[in-house]
Amino acid sequence: MKRLDLRLRITVAISVVCISIVAALGGLLYMASERMELALVEQLVAEELDFLVRRHEADPEYVPDPGPNVEYYAFRPDETSPDLPRFLQDLGNGHYEIDIGEGRGERDVVIRQVGDMRFVVVYNIGPYEQREQEFKRLILIALFVVMGLAVVLGYLLSGFLTRQLTLLAQKVSTLQPNHPYDSLLRDEQDREVATLALALDKYHQLFLTMIKREQEFTANISHELRTPLTAIGTSCELLQADSSLSEKGRVRVHNIMQAAKAMTEHARALLLLARQHEIKEREKFTAHEFLNDVVVTFRDEMDRKGLIYETQVPPNASLNTNRAALQLVLCNLLSNAVTYTASGFVQVSLMDGKLLVSDSGPGIPEDKLPLIIERSYRGQNETGGLGLGLDIVRRICEQLGWTMEVQSVVGEGSTFTIDLGADVLSYSS
Ligand code: ADP
C-alpha cells in the first residue's frame, strides 16, 4: 500500500486528535445534561406529588387543575376512576417513565398510596426530550465544523512544520553528480533538519572522496600499463626487423603488436573515463580505417572459430567523437560477439548515426536483458568473463550522451545498438 506523505500524515494526526477531543467532550456534555434533566424532572414530579398529598389532607375534595405539562389524580383504587388514562390503570406504586405511543411523547409518572387514597402525578417530559434532541443536533453540528476546521488548520500547520524538510528534499533531488555542490546546512534550520543536512553534507564529501580515489586508482593503473605496453610494442618492432624470423612468426609478432596497440588504446580510454573532462574531447577520423584497426585484434579468434565477419559501413563515412572511447565501446561489444558466438557470423554496421554489432550467437533470454549491463553480471557463460565489459560500455555511453539498446532472440543471436546522436557520423562527398 502506498504510504501517505509526511504532510498528509501530520494533517490526519492533528485532525484525529482534535475530532476525538471534541467528540469526547460533546459526548460527556450530552450525558451530563441528560442526567441533570432526569434528576430535575424526578425532583419536580416528587414535589408535585407531595403538594397533591398535602392539599388532599387539607381538603379531601380538592384536586388541582391540570397544567400545560402536568396532570393530577387522587382516587380510591376500589372505585373506578373514569378520568384515569388507559396507560395508568394497571400501574402500582412507584416511579415510571412511559412512552404513551402515537407520537405523543414520554410521561414521567409517580404513584403513591397514602391510606386508602392513591395519588398520581403525570408529567409530560416531551419538551425536555425535544430540547435534548436539539442539544444533540448542536453537538453534531459542532463536531462537523470542528472536523472541517481541524483538517484545514492541520493541513496549514503541517505545511509549516514540514516546510524545512520539504525544502531540503527538493534541494537533494536537484543535486547533479558533476555540478558544484552547495552545502545543505542553513542557519535557519531546526535542529533535526540541520542534523540531517549535516549528515547529507558529510555523506556527499565521503562520496566525492571515494570517486576521487577510484578515479586516481584507474588513472594510475592505466598510466602504469602504458610503459610495459610501449616496451612490448618496441620489442615487436625490433623482432619484425629480424630477417631470421619465419613468415609465421612475423604474423604472430604482428598480432602481438596489434594487441598491445589495442591495450594501449584501452588504457587511454580508461584514463579518459577517470579524467571525465577529457572524454568530451573530439577528433575526426574515417570510419573504415577505425573499424579495421579494432577488428584486427579479433581476426585470429574469428578465423579459429570459422566465423564470417561482415561489415556495413559506407566508404565515405567519417566519425567525429572521442576515438578512444568509441574504440573501447566497440572492442567490448565485438569481444562479446566473438566470445559467445560458436558459429555463423559477426557483423559491425554504422548507419543513421548508430553503431550496430550483431552476431548469430546463443542470444540472451528476455528476462536477463536488463541484468546484463549490471556490473559483475556474467550470465550462464563459461568463458570466464568478469561481467565488466557492458558496464564500461554503459558508463561511456552515459558520459557521452549515447544510448545502448539490445535486441536478442534466444538461439538466433543478438544485436547491440549504440545511438551516437545526430552529429557523430557524417558522409563526405
Ligand atoms: P563478460 O562478457 O565479461 O562476462 P559483459 O558485461 O561484457 O561481461 O557481459 C555480461 C553478460 O552478458 C555476459 O556474461 C553474457 O552472459 C551476456 N552477453 C553479452 N554479450 C552477449 C552476446 N553478444 N551474446 C550472448 N550473451 C551476451
Side-chain angles (χ1 to χ4, degrees):
M1 199 180 86
K2 199 171 176 283
R3 288 183 74 114
L4 292 177
D5 68 29
L6 187 60
R7 186 172 182 183
L8 281 181
R9 283 167 64 196
I10 295 178
T11 308
V12 170
I14 293 176
S15 308
V16 166
V17 170
C18 289
I19 292 164
S20 310
I21 290 175
V22 172
L25 221 79
L28 276 175
L29 267 176
Y30 178 73
M31 270 157 53
S33 87
E34 201 181 38
R35 278 187 179 203
M36 267 167 64
E37 276 188 10
L38 228 106
L40 203 74
V41 169
E42 270 179 28
Q43 189 189 345
L44 207 97
V45 175
E47 280 172 7
E48 291 291 334
L49 192 80
D50 288 346
F51 165 73
L52 180 63
V53 172
R54 260 187 276 113
R55 286 305 301 260
H56 189 269
E57 277 167 3
D59 178 2
E61 293 308 312
Y62 177 76
V63 177
D65 291 335
N69 289 320
V70 64
E71 290 165 32
Y72 307 90
Y73 301 94
F75 58 94
R76 282 192 179 75
D78 47 347
E79 295 170 7
T80 48
S81 167
D83 298 339
L84 209 60
R86 179 76 200 89
F87 67 92
L88 293 174
Q89 283 176 8
D90 302 325
L91 299 177
N93 282 350
H95 179 223
Y96 306 91
E97 208 172 281
I98 304 167
D99 186 347
I100 61 172
E102 295 165 13
R104 285 179 296 160
E106 287 187 34
R107 300 287 186 270
D108 207 85
V109 178
V110 194
I111 302 175
R112 193 186 297 163
Q113 182 89 22
V114 180
D116 58 347
M117 287 297 290
R118 182 169 285 183
F119 299 93
V120 179
V121 173
V122 178
Y123 197 85
N124 179 7
I125 56 172
Y128 284 99
E129 294 280 316
Q130 209 176 328
R131 270 203 300 280
E132 217 174 81
Q133 289 305 322
E134 274 166 19
F135 188 55
K136 203 165 152 184
R137 221 171 298 137
L138 206 76
I139 288 177
L140 276 177
I141 290 171
L143 197 65
F144 281 119
V145 171
V146 169
M147 265 163 90
L149 278 177
V151 171
V152 174
L153 289 179
Y155 191 70
L156 295 176
L157 194 67
S158 58
F160 175 71
L161 289 175
T162 55
R163 206 175 73 88
Q164 290 189 3
L165 211 56
T166 312
L167 285 177
L168 184 64
Q170 276 169 359
K171 191 96 205 290
V172 172
S173 68
T174 55
L175 291 179
Q176 296 282 338
N178 293 328
H179 289 187
Y181 183 81
D182 188 15
S183 169
L184 298 167
L185 196 62
R186 295 276 179 281
D187 288 342
E188 66 276 10
Q189 280 166 342
D190 292 336
R191 194 157 48 87
E192 294 79 1
V193 179
T195 311
L196 185 62
L198 195 68
L200 286 169
D201 277 352
K202 278 189 187 157
Y203 187 74
H204 183 260
Q205 273 311 322
L206 195 75
F207 188 61
L208 284 187
T209 317
M210 276 166 63
I211 289 184
K212 197 159 169 255
R213 207 179 301 151
E214 193 199 349
Q215 284 175 346
E216 277 172 10
F217 178 73
T218 317
N220 287 345
I221 288 274
S222 44
H223 189 263
E224 293 305 316
L225 273 178
R226 286 167 111 174
T227 317
L229 284 172
T230 313
I232 293 172
T234 319
S235 303
C236 286
E237 271 171 29
L238 289 174
L239 259 177
Q240 274 202 321
D242 186 343
S243 53
S244 63
L245 200 68
S246 69
E247 195 48 40
K248 223 171 164 184
R250 206 173 293 280
V251 172
R252 292 273 170 257
V253 170
H254 175 75
N255 287 345
I256 294 171
M257 261 176 83
Q258 291 301 332
K261 211 172 140 192
M263 273 181 80
T264 310
E265 286 302 320
H266 279 197
R268 196 153 78 89
L270 285 172
L271 203 61
L272 278 181
L273 269 181
R275 297 181 189 153
Q276 295 183 357
H277 56 280
E278 284 181 22
I279 203 165
K280 306 273 185 238
E281 285 169 14
R282 291 169 156 225
E283 62 185 291
K284 198 163 177 178
F285 47 93
T286 52
H288 245 291
E289 175 224 327
F290 166 73
L291 278 191
N292 286 342
D293 276 0
V294 177
V295 170
V296 77
T297 338
F298 301 96
R299 278 273 183 214
D300 266 5
E301 183 63 4
M302 287 195 279
D303 289 348
R304 194 184 62 75
K305 286 180 147 182
L307 298 176
I308 300 162
Y309 172 68
E310 295 166 1
T311 176
Q312 279 188 7
V313 180
N316 59 346
S318 50
L319 292 153
N320 183 5
T321 187
N322 189 294
R323 185 181 170 124
L326 187 63
Q327 179 162 350
L328 200 56
V329 167
L330 181 58
C331 276
N332 275 297
L333 296 182
L334 212 50
S335 164
N336 280 348
V338 173
T339 307
Y340 298 117
T341 307
S343 62
F345 69 89
V346 169
Q347 189 186 63
V348 180
S349 318
L350 263 171
M351 57 175 79
D352 304 330
K354 288 177 183 147
L355 169 72
L356 291 94
V357 178
S358 311
D359 62 58
S360 56
I364 303 157
E366 208 179 325
D367 59 324
K368 298 288 181 291
L369 283 177
L371 299 178
I372 58 167
I373 52 165
E374 301 272 324
R375 194 177 167 83
S376 304
Y377 177 78
R378 297 173 48 201
Q380 299 292 317
N381 67 70
E382 279 147 26
T383 59
L386 296 173
L388 290 179
L390 291 178
D391 182 58
I392 291 179
V393 172
R394 178 183 61 80
R395 284 167 61 166
I396 293 177
C397 287
E398 268 174 21
Q399 299 271 334
L400 289 168
W402 300 343
T403 52
M404 177 169 71
E405 253 182 45
V406 191
Q407 279 159 338
S408 193
V409 179
V410 173
E412 288 185 21
S414 316
T415 298
F416 287 74
T417 307
I418 307 290
D419 192 338
L420 303 168
D423 56 343
V424 169
L425 190 63
S426 60
Y427 306 96
S428 51
S429 46

